[in-house]
Structures are given as C-alpha cells and as structure tokens.
Amino acid sequence: VKNGGVDAPLIMVLNKNIEAAQEDEDPTMLRVFVHLSSRIQEEMEKQARPEEAVLHKLMRMDDAAIRGRILEEFLAPQTKIALPNGNVLPVDPPKPPKLEPMAFAGAVRDLVTKLRGMDANGDVIVATIEDARQVAKEARMVIAQNHEESVLIEFQDSLMDTFIEQQNKE
C-alpha cells in the first residue's frame, strides 16, 4: 500500500475472497480476509486527500447515525470544544470546517467517475454508486444545517450531473 501497489482489482479480489469465506462458512479465513481488507483500506485512507479519506470511511459504515456524526465533524464549522471532563467551551468565532463542502463534493464526483470506468460486476458498481449518493444526501443535510444557502446550492449543483446520469441509466 505504501508504495502504491494496491489498486481496485486487489480490493475486488479481497472482497471476492470474503464472499467465498462467508459462503463456505469458514470463520478463520473470513477473519483473515476482513482484517486484510480493513488494514489495506485504512492505509489507503492515510495516503488519500482528506476528503477522499473521509468519503472512504463513510462508504464503509452501515450505520447512518455514525455517518452523520462523522459528516458533522468534518463538514460543520467548529463552534465548541468538548473537554475531557465533560464541559464544553464555545469557539467564537467558529473555526472553519475540517473539509470544505466543495472539496467533499469533488471526492464524491471522482469516486462515481472511477466506478463508472471500472470493468466490474454492473450490479456491484450500481450499488456502490447508490451508496455514494446516500452519503452525498447525508452530507447535504449537514451542509444545510451548518452553512449558508449559497454553499448548499453550490454543493447540490456540483453533484447534480453526477447522479442524474445514473438515474437515466436505471
């Protein structure tokens, strides 16, 4: 991973091995392949641009509430600091978000573009694009709650073509 030797086909092979271990009901191999997959993805996230790393992390999460908290952490301006003792300090003026919404939108667009260019199982690609759409919708909600309307409109507009193309294919 650190030398750039990991790419989508390797991840796809790992995923196929995970599926095979599940079908064969082999818990040892399943643990091994899941652990390898997680470690590779974590290392890839370390090397990725921050917006790509956050998107990858979100795409691996099944729990919408956890995704929402992560999106809030990265896309909302920081208005308070939670202290270890449970107290909260207000931040005035608020600090900018860790990720700018348009940078995150760019990561979503890039992911969908890469997925459309892959030679892989069409159902898997469509499902993954739909997962990206769901993450974008959740991000939109966080942006709507924490940013000016102009930022929300720019975010929406930048992703509209990305997902309209997918809807036209369905």
Side-chain angles (χ1 to χ4, degrees):
V1 174
K2 292 180 181 178
N3 296 328
V6 174
D7 56 5
L10 175 63
I11 299 296
M12 290 169 60
V13 168
L14 264 175
N15 288 338
K16 289 291 183 189
N17 281 307
I18 289 170
E19 289 172 17
Q22 288 170 330
E23 289 172 8
D24 295 343
E25 297 181 9
D26 186 341
T28 302
M29 292 310 294
L30 180 61
R31 274 195 308 277
V32 168
F33 287 125
V34 167
H35 178 73
L36 278 172
S37 178
S38 295
R39 289 293 301 134
I40 288 170
Q41 290 184 33
E42 288 168 4
E43 288 299 320
M44 289 173 67
E45 288 170 6
K46 288 178 188 176
Q47 294 177 5
R49 297 185 328 241
E51 57 273 15
E52 291 172 342
V54 170
L55 179 58
H56 273 263
K57 179 184 261 186
L58 292 166
M59 294 289 291
R60 290 187 290 130
M61 303 265 164
D62 291 330
D63 188 325
I66 294 173
R67 285 194 310 265
R69 286 192 290 279
I70 292 169
L71 285 163
E72 186 82 26
E73 175 187 347
F74 284 93
L75 292 175
Q78 187 178 3
T79 58
K80 61 188 175 209
I81 297 173
L83 299 175
N85 65 5
N87 292 337
V88 176
L89 290 176
V91 176
D92 191 27
K95 288 185 174 184
K98 294 178 182 177
L99 291 179
E100 289 300 322
M102 292 310 297
F104 187 74
V108 172
R109 264 192 327 274
D110 291 348
L111 174 65
V112 171
T113 299
K114 286 176 187 173
L115 287 167
R116 286 198 178 115
M118 289 180 70
D119 182 23
N121 180 324
D123 292 339
V124 172
I125 297 296
V126 169
T128 306
I129 290 172
E130 187 54 39
D131 291 345
R133 181 196 325 252
Q134 183 59 41
V135 168
K137 287 178 181 178
E138 293 167 3
R140 182 199 173 281
M141 291 181 356
V142 169
I143 293 165
Q145 294 169 353
N146 293 284
H147 291 272
E148 294 178 11
E149 186 176 6
S150 62
V151 174
L152 175 63
I153 290 169
E154 186 179 12
F155 180 82
Q156 291 174 170
D157 289 350
S158 74
L159 289 174
M160 194 165 301
D161 290 342
T162 301
F163 293 114
I164 285 177
E165 182 179 329
Q166 182 67 24
Q167 286 177 331
N168 291 339
K169 290 181 177 181
E170 294 173 354

